[in-house]
């Protein structure tokens, strides 16, 4: 009863109710919220602290910035959603706030577009590898989704593509990436109203800030060839998996495209079955090759590792 009353008191204030409403639509920084509400930073910060303390918002630090969002899985999740749902849709205050939020989302999209534009040459070269992404997506959906998965971690999430295609199959999906630029793109791509169970985090793939045995499934999609230490990456994934949890690994099979190492920072020119099997064995994962997808110039392997302890 005391916890419920504390949460209700935290909501029962006009500014905090507005904050809760806009954070239900997007993951926002304090500066974003200040711009939407047109209030001072200290005042907004006090309100945010109260909402976080009451468990109605989550605060996630990313470098010098902190992002706020409504929690997807917590005791106060339903309470926050119910209260936000009771706000009249024709409220002019809410309409104005959401209009300002739309402009912030548009600004994020512009930043993402500029990043892609500045790196257009790289993306165009990679597209010429003739990898059929639709086939890879279909294979992932067909091979790994039997029933609903509890929690998913996508390591090196990039633009958030894997999170988008797999989020309907999981209760909660988290993507981590070390690149702030790529996270900006992912946030522009992932609308919280459409993907409420998706979270994005800044993090180091060799030292991921979650407890042991936390996730039911981990995806490592076109990331391993960038990894300086593939063995450590697989060990970290294994640490995070619950017993019987699965790592799904998608990457190039061996190839001779040397320019990818020289021009695009690829550490490895693909992996054969023996190498993947050895990496998984070292990480105490049971190995299985799920599928190979061949193309004109490159081939992709999809492998699975199952944790049995």
């Amino acid at each position: 009863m005391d916890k419920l009353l504390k949460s209700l008191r935290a909501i029962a204030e006009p500014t905090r109710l507005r904050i809760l409403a806009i954070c239900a639509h997007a993951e926002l920084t304090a500066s974003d919220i200040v711009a939407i509400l047109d209030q001072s930073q200290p005042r907004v910060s006090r309100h945010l602290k109260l909402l976080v303390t009451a468990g109605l918002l989550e605060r996630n630090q990313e470098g010098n910035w902190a992002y706020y969002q409504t929690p997807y899985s917590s005791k106060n999740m339903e309470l926050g959603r119910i209260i936000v749902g009771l706000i009249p849709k024709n409220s002019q205050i809410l309409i104005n706030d959401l209009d300002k939020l739309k402009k912030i989302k548009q600004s994020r999209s512009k930043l993402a577009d500029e990043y892609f534009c500045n790196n257009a040459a790289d993306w165009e070269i990679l597209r010429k590898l003739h990898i059929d992404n639709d086939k890879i997506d279909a294979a992932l959906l067909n091979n790994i989704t039997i029933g609903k998965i509890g929690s998913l971690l996508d390591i090196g999430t990039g633009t958030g593509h894997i999170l988008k295609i797999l989020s309907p199959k999981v209760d909660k999906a988290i993507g981590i990436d070390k690149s702030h630029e790529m996270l900006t793109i992912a946030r522009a791509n992932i609308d919280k109203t459409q993907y409420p169970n998706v979270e994005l985090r800044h993090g180091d793939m060799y030292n991921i800030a979650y407890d042991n045995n936390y996730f039911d499934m981990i995806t490592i999609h076109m990331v391993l060839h960038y990894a300086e230490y593939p063995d450590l990456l697989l060990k970290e994934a294994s640490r995070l998996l619950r017993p019987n949890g699965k790592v799904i690994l998608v990457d190039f099979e061996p190839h001779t495209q040397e320019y990818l190492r020289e021009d695009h920072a690829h550490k490895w020119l693909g992996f054969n079955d023996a190498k993947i099997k050895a990496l998984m064995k070292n990480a105490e994962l049971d190995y299985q090759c799920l599928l190979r997808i061949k193309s004109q110039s490159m081939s992709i392997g999809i492998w699975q590792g199952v944790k049995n302890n």
Side-chain angles (χ1 to χ4, degrees), residues 24-199:
H25 288 80
E27 192 176 18
L28 299 169
T29 66
S31 297
D32 293 333
I33 297 167
V34 165
I36 292 170
L37 302 184
D38 195 21
Q39 296 184 12
S40 70
Q41 180 91 30
R43 183 179 181 185
V44 167
S45 295
R46 286 196 299 271
H47 287 309
L48 287 170
K49 185 175 181 180
L50 283 168
L51 289 167
V52 171
T53 301
L56 293 159
L57 286 183
E58 285 182 344
R59 181 183 186 276
N60 301 294
Q61 192 72 34
E62 185 178 305
N64 294 326
W65 290 8
Y67 284 86
Y68 296 86
Q69 68 171 14
T70 52
Y72 184 74
S73 55
S74 77
K75 292 180 180 179
N76 289 325
M77 172 189 68
E78 285 300 325
L79 176 63
R81 287 184 181 179
I82 290 169
I83 297 297
V84 169
L86 291 173
I87 302 173
K89 302 301 181 191
N90 62 352
S91 164
Q92 193 58 51
I93 293 175
L94 178 63
I95 291 170
N96 292 341
D97 287 349
L98 293 181
D99 184 59
K100 291 180 180 178
L101 174 59
K102 182 179 179 181
K103 292 176 181 176
I104 286 174
K105 287 183 175 181
Q106 289 171 343
S107 177
R108 287 181 179 176
S109 294
K110 183 179 179 182
L111 286 173
D113 290 344
E114 288 175 352
Y115 181 78
F116 272 118
C117 182
N118 292 336
N119 294 274
D122 290 351
W123 304 122
E124 186 60 33
I125 289 170
L126 292 175
R127 278 196 292 270
K128 289 179 180 177
L129 295 175
H130 304 295
I131 298 301
D132 192 330
N133 289 311
D134 290 339
K135 282 187 178 180
I136 296 173
D137 293 351
L140 284 173
L141 289 168
N142 290 335
N143 282 279
I144 70 175
T145 54
I146 301 174
K148 189 136 183 175
I149 301 161
S151 55
L152 167 75
L153 174 66
D154 185 36
I155 298 178
T157 196
T159 63
H161 175 72
I162 295 300
L163 296 174
K164 288 174 69 173
I165 66 169
L166 294 185
S167 64
K169 299 288 186 178
V170 303
D171 291 328
K172 185 174 183 178
I174 297 172
I176 68 156
D177 204 289
K178 195 173 184 179
S179 167
H180 291 287
E181 291 81 5
M182 295 309 291
L183 287 171
T184 297
I185 294 169
R187 288 192 174 98
N189 288 337
I190 295 174
D191 188 327
K192 289 295 288 183
T193 56
Q194 188 177 0
Y195 305 101
N197 61 333
V198 172
E199 297 180 7

Side-chain angles (χ1 to χ4, degrees), residues 224-225 227-236 238 249 268 270-287 303 305:
L224 199 67
H225 58 262
E228 188 76 41
Y229 307 105
D231 55 334
L232 297 184
L233 175 54
L234 267 295
K235 282 185 177 180
E236 180 67 352
S238 179
L249 179 61
W268 311 94
F271 303 89
N272 59 27
D273 285 347
K275 179 63 176 178
I276 297 298
K277 186 175 183 179
L279 288 170
M280 288 190 174
K281 182 179 180 180
N282 190 45
E284 299 183 340
L285 298 168
D286 289 345
Y287 157 89
W303 299 276

